[in-house]
């Protein structure tokens, strides 16, 4: 795959943000009406987490920041989305599958929410379906608009559209000047998807289980579990069944993330600093792209001390875990590819 022309950054971000905000309300406002018709006992989590929120300045600001984060994350992978016949599927898998289902936030619709909270199954399904509708509409409109913009700017794919299954290895002609020619990894997606997925899952589970308990001890999670309202819906983390649920749940989550991120593989694996692109994907999608992370982050409530205390809960752990994961997985995967 040859490098394609990148979009003009500001117009591209503007298109992305405008359509993202429009589809958020096109789906979100009817969903809020539906949510209000549910009995109170059937929408406790939806009301608390506010998967969709009414029109308001802070809501708009949160969704605009979320859209900008998405746009910037996808910019280095632009060719994958617009020079690939599976581009729409890849974009949907990232913006819904990774950012919601694989999100770091325990919320309605996420694997973490299923693992850590007592949110009923029905509320998970409501969130998953509603956000899927929003993202399907967004992906269809955005790709249409983006292709029209590319044609008007004279930007056309420099090679024929790829027609292979995005989860099967395929040859690529992408420049990889960062590596010696006799050591370049010539795959757009992993040729050995099983080995790639296994390595991804193993590193994910190990870093999750090493760094998570470490921060649980040093960051005061135990006190937060007793003080913060959000933890009222959490399971008892010290019970054996929950420990097993977390362990096997992370195996499942790591596998899902590996498969959904596989189409982006060719754009980072050849780079010396490709681990930074992998970190951008992981943190940008699972954290910044989450329906809750940025909208909640900008809601400054209480004192500055309380705000800073809340930042200590979660964010340093997420950044550390993803950084260590990206470094280890990138090194291991490149080593495995070179042996082949």
């Amino acid at each position: 795959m040859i490098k394609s022309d990148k979009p003009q950054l500001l117009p591209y971000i503007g298109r992305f943000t405008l359509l993202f905000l429009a589809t958020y309300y096109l789906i979100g406002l009817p969903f809020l009406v539906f949510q209000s018709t549910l009995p109170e006992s059937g929408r406790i989590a939806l009301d608390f987490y506010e998967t969709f929120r009414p029109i308001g300045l802070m809501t708009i600001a949160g969704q605009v920041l979320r859209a900008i984060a998405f746009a910037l994350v996808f910019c280095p992978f632009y060719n994958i989305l617009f020079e690939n016949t599976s581009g729409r599927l890849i974009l949907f898998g990232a913006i819904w599958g990774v950012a919601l289902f694989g999100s770091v936030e325990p919320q309605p619709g996420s694997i973490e929410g299923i693992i850590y909270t007592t949110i009923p199954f029905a509320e998970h399904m409501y969130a998953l379906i509603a956000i899927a509708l929003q993202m399907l509409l967004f992906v269809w409109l955005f790709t249409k608009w983006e292709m029209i913009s590319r044609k008007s700017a004279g930007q056309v794919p420099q090679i024929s559209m790829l027609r292979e299954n995005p989860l099967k290895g395929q040859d690529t002609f992408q420049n990889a000047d960062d590596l010696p020619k006799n050591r370049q990894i010539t795959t757009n997606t992993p040729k050995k998807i099983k080995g790639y997925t296994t390595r991804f899952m193993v590193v994910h589970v190990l870093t999750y289980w090493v760094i998570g308990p470490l921060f649980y001890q040093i960051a005061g999670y135990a006190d937060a579990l007793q003080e913060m309202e959000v933890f009222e819906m959490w399971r008892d983390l010290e019970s054996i069944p929950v420990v097993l649920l977390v362990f096997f749940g992370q195996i499942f989550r790591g596998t899902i993330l590996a498969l959904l991120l596989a189409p982006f593989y060719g754009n980072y694996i050849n780079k010396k600093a490709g681990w930074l692109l992998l970190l951008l994907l992981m943190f940008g999608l699972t954290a910044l792209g989450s329906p809750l992370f940025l909208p909640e982050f900008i809601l400054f409530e209480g004192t500055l001390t309380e705000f800073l205390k809340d930042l200590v809960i979660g964010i340093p752990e997420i950044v550390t875990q993803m950084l260590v994961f990206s470094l280890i997985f990138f090194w291991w995967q490149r080593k495995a590819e070179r042996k082949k």
Side-chain angles (χ1 to χ4, degrees):
M1 183 166 41
I2 298 174
K3 291 181 180 178
S4 64
D5 294 328
K6 292 295 189 294
Q8 292 184 341
L9 188 59
L10 290 181
Y12 157 74
I13 291 176
R15 292 189 293 271
F16 199 108
T17 302
L18 180 62
L19 286 179
F20 191 87
L21 190 60
T23 55
Y24 176 84
Y25 281 117
L26 281 172
I27 301 300
L29 293 179
F31 180 79
L32 288 173
V33 174
F34 163 75
Q35 182 177 317
S36 67
T37 65
L38 297 173
E40 289 189 12
S41 60
R43 53 184 169 89
I44 294 175
L46 293 175
D47 286 343
F48 180 81
Y49 287 96
E50 297 182 289
T51 302
F52 287 98
R53 306 180 185 201
I55 296 175
L57 180 61
M58 295 306 292
T59 300
I60 293 174
Q63 294 307 316
V64 166
L65 288 176
R66 189 174 165 221
I68 292 172
F70 272 135
L72 293 175
V73 167
F74 291 129
C75 196
F77 306 96
Y78 187 83
N79 58 326
I80 291 173
L81 304 178
F82 295 100
E83 294 193 3
N84 192 322
T85 53
S86 301
R88 289 181 180 178
L89 180 61
I90 295 169
L91 179 57
F92 176 77
I95 209 169
W96 178 78
V98 178
L100 172 63
F101 194 53
S103 167
V104 297
E105 293 274 4
Q107 62 186 315
S110 73
I111 298 172
E112 294 286 77
I114 295 170
I115 293 173
Y116 285 103
T117 73
T118 57
I119 297 172
F121 176 77
E123 294 190 62
H124 283 297
M125 291 306 300
Y126 294 148
L128 282 167
I129 293 171
I131 296 178
L133 291 174
Q134 180 211 343
M135 297 311 179
L136 283 170
L137 180 59
F138 167 79
V139 168
W140 183 74
L141 292 173
F142 179 67
T143 52
K144 286 283 187 182
W145 194 357
E146 203 63 16
M147 293 305 289
I148 292 171
S149 299
R150 282 165 59 83
K151 287 181 181 179
S152 65
Q155 293 178 337
V156 294
Q158 298 179 30
I159 60 170
S160 59
M161 301 290 272
L162 299 174
R163 299 186 181 278
E164 291 85 349
N165 185 324
L167 292 184
K168 289 183 179 179
Q170 50 200 7
D171 289 339
T172 176
F173 302 97
Q174 180 179 355
N175 292 330
D177 297 332
D178 292 339
L179 288 179
K181 289 184 178 180
N182 63 342
R183 300 180 69 186
Q184 290 177 11
I185 300 165
T186 55
T187 54
N188 181 50
T189 54
K191 286 187 175 181
K192 299 293 185 181
I193 192 68
K194 183 177 179 181
Y196 155 84
T197 303
T198 300
R199 283 185 285 274
F200 193 108
M201 180 271 294
V202 168
V203 179
H204 168 77
V205 171
L206 288 178
T207 55
Y208 193 97
W209 274 97
V210 170
I211 294 170
L214 178 64
F215 274 87
Y216 185 89
Q217 296 296 326
I218 66 176
Y221 279 21
D223 294 335
L225 286 170
Q226 297 178 354
E227 297 174 3
M228 297 178 68
E229 185 180 3
V230 67
F231 291 114
E232 292 179 2
M233 297 185 187
W234 278 43
R235 305 181 192 275
D236 179 7
L237 298 181
E238 296 183 0
S239 68
I240 298 299
V242 174
V243 172
L244 293 175
L245 178 62
V246 172
F247 178 76
F248 289 106
Q250 291 308 319
I251 292 176
F252 175 71
R253 179 168 173 255
T255 302
I256 292 295
L257 289 174
L259 295 175
L260 290 174
L261 294 176
F264 299 94
Y265 179 82
N267 274 34
Y268 69 78
I269 198 64
N270 279 320
K271 307 295 184 183
K272 287 182 179 178
W275 62 270
L276 273 174
L277 288 175
L278 179 58
L279 177 62
L280 175 70
L281 274 175
M282 291 290 291
F283 184 74
L285 293 178
T286 65
L288 300 181
S290 162
L292 293 183
F293 190 93
L294 286 173
E296 286 292 321
F297 183 80
I298 64 173
L299 289 178
F300 186 88
E301 297 179 349
T303 64
L304 178 60
T305 302
E306 291 172 338
F307 177 74
L308 294 176
K309 182 180 178 181
D310 289 343
L311 291 182
V312 175
I313 305 298
I315 295 178
E317 176 194 349
I318 293 168
V319 174
T320 303
Q321 191 259 330
M322 291 185 182
L323 174 61
V324 174
F325 165 84
S326 299
L327 288 167
I328 296 176
F329 173 75
F330 181 72
W331 169 80
W332 191 6
Q333 184 63 25
R334 295 236 301 190
K335 186 177 180 180
E337 288 280 9
R338 283 168 175 163
K339 286 183 178 179
K340 297 170 188 174

